[in-house]
Amino acid sequence: MKLNVNGICFRYGSRDILQDVELEAKSGEVLAVIGSNGAGKSTLIRCVNRILKPYLGTVLLDGKEIGSFNAKERACMLGYVPQTTKDVFSFNVMETVLMGRKPHVSWGVGKRDLEIVNSVLQRMELVQFAERFLHELSGGERQKVLIARALAQEPEVLLLDEPTSNLDVRYQLEVMELVQSIAQKQGKCVLMVVHDLNLAARFADQILMLKDGTVFAAGAPEDVLIPENIKAVYGVESMIINTELGRHVITIKPSNTRQESRVSAIVGS
């Protein structure tokens, strides 16, 4: 499966949010969309999923315009995990993941639907939580459940809008490792919005960097995440360091302070 976004333009009223955005995402790879607040990252994901309709440009799945599919067909091909979900907390884990089968169900839940849900729960190591309600779980566990719900749709493309938001470091790494595994081992095409540059550097195969609704840079992490680009997009100074362990260190110094203290993060390559 190949996802192509060609010349997408979107505006709210008279305000342009996305301008001539292009990307290509492939099966087995993670493409991370990065950029400062207001750059249009979440809007791009919603345009791909047809939650929002761009006024120019096309979104293609294996060469076919996404708008030519009906809502049920799109739900079978695109699995979407938004930043926040407000309507699932009265359900338990099994019920929530079973909702992912809705695009495939005609008259009622069948044996195959239950088999798929149970398989996803096992794959995501959520079997022990099956009867627990979502509000009883930690933030990281809930995020895994929402990803599991999307996987139960059996989509070819997984769209994730900030899957690590509001998670502590442990769950950030766990969720990102899970996303990477889904792409590599299940052959899914993953398009996700990420705020943390170090997580993008470590887990993404390709990066799309947005600035003011346009593509500022695109390519492999080592080509996109360079000090010049980070300064231009985020307005901060940075250093990229290769250690003897082959790790990358992104050190960021806010440009509006004279303090010599720096915020550093070490991530695996």
Side-chain angles (χ1 to χ4, degrees), residues 19-239:
Q19 302 174 58
D20 198 27
V21 174
E22 301 200 0
L23 67 83
E24 180 177 284
K26 302 175 183 178
S27 297
E29 293 186 351
V30 175
L31 191 155
V33 181
I34 64 173
S36 60
N37 291 338
K41 303 183 296 296
S42 295
T43 300
L44 175 59
I45 293 285
R46 295 185 187 120
C47 285
V48 171
N49 203 25
R50 297 287 290 189
I51 295 173
L52 298 175
K53 188 176 180 179
Y55 69 88
L56 282 177
T58 58
V59 178
L60 306 176
L61 284 174
D62 276 350
K64 190 172 182 180
E65 167 63 51
I66 190 69
S68 66
F69 299 103
N70 60 40
K72 185 175 182 179
E73 290 171 332
R74 286 198 301 272
C76 291
M77 292 182 289
L78 301 173
Y80 173 55
V81 180
Q83 288 186 38
T84 58
T85 304
K86 300 178 180 179
D87 59 348
V88 298
F89 292 95
S90 60
F91 298 97
N92 65 30
V93 170
M94 171 65 84
E95 293 167 335
T96 301
V97 177
L98 191 57
M99 290 177 189
R101 296 302 301 161
K102 185 177 179 180
H104 302 275
V105 173
S106 297
W107 298 101
V109 176
K111 180 180 178 181
R112 172 169 166 73
D113 299 305
L114 293 175
E115 289 175 346
I116 290 171
V117 168
N118 284 323
S119 175
V120 170
L121 290 175
Q122 291 176 8
R123 195 185 317 150
M124 303 283 287
E125 299 182 353
L126 291 169
V127 174
Q128 67 271 33
F129 302 117
E131 301 301 322
R132 291 177 60 180
F133 290 94
L134 261 67
H135 69 268
E136 299 175 332
L137 305 180
S138 69
E141 290 163 348
R142 283 198 301 271
Q143 194 72 332
K144 287 175 67 176
V145 172
L146 298 179
I147 294 173
R149 182 180 66 175
L151 288 177
Q153 293 175 222
E154 298 186 300
E156 294 298 325
V157 179
L158 195 58
L159 305 173
L160 307 174
D161 193 355
E162 297 186 38
T164 60
S165 61
N166 301 317
L167 300 182
D168 62 28
V169 173
R170 171 194 169 189
Y171 282 116
Q172 286 181 14
L173 292 173
E174 186 173 317
V175 167
M176 292 298 287
E177 287 170 353
L178 172 63
V179 170
Q180 187 181 59
S181 175
I182 289 169
Q184 294 178 349
K185 295 183 180 180
Q186 299 180 38
K188 303 296 183 183
C189 172
V190 178
L191 177 64
M192 66 175 178
V193 172
V194 182
H195 262 302
D196 190 309
L197 300 185
N198 287 300
L199 292 178
R202 177 173 179 175
F203 293 102
D205 298 289
Q206 298 290 321
I207 292 180
L208 184 80
M209 178 181 276
L210 295 180
K211 181 181 181 182
D212 298 328
T214 63
V215 177
F216 184 83
E222 60 269 24
D223 297 325
V224 174
L225 292 174
I226 59 176
E228 295 82 357
N229 289 348
I230 294 171
K231 176 62 183 277
V233 171
Y234 294 93
V236 295
E237 303 292 343
S238 63
M239 292 189 301

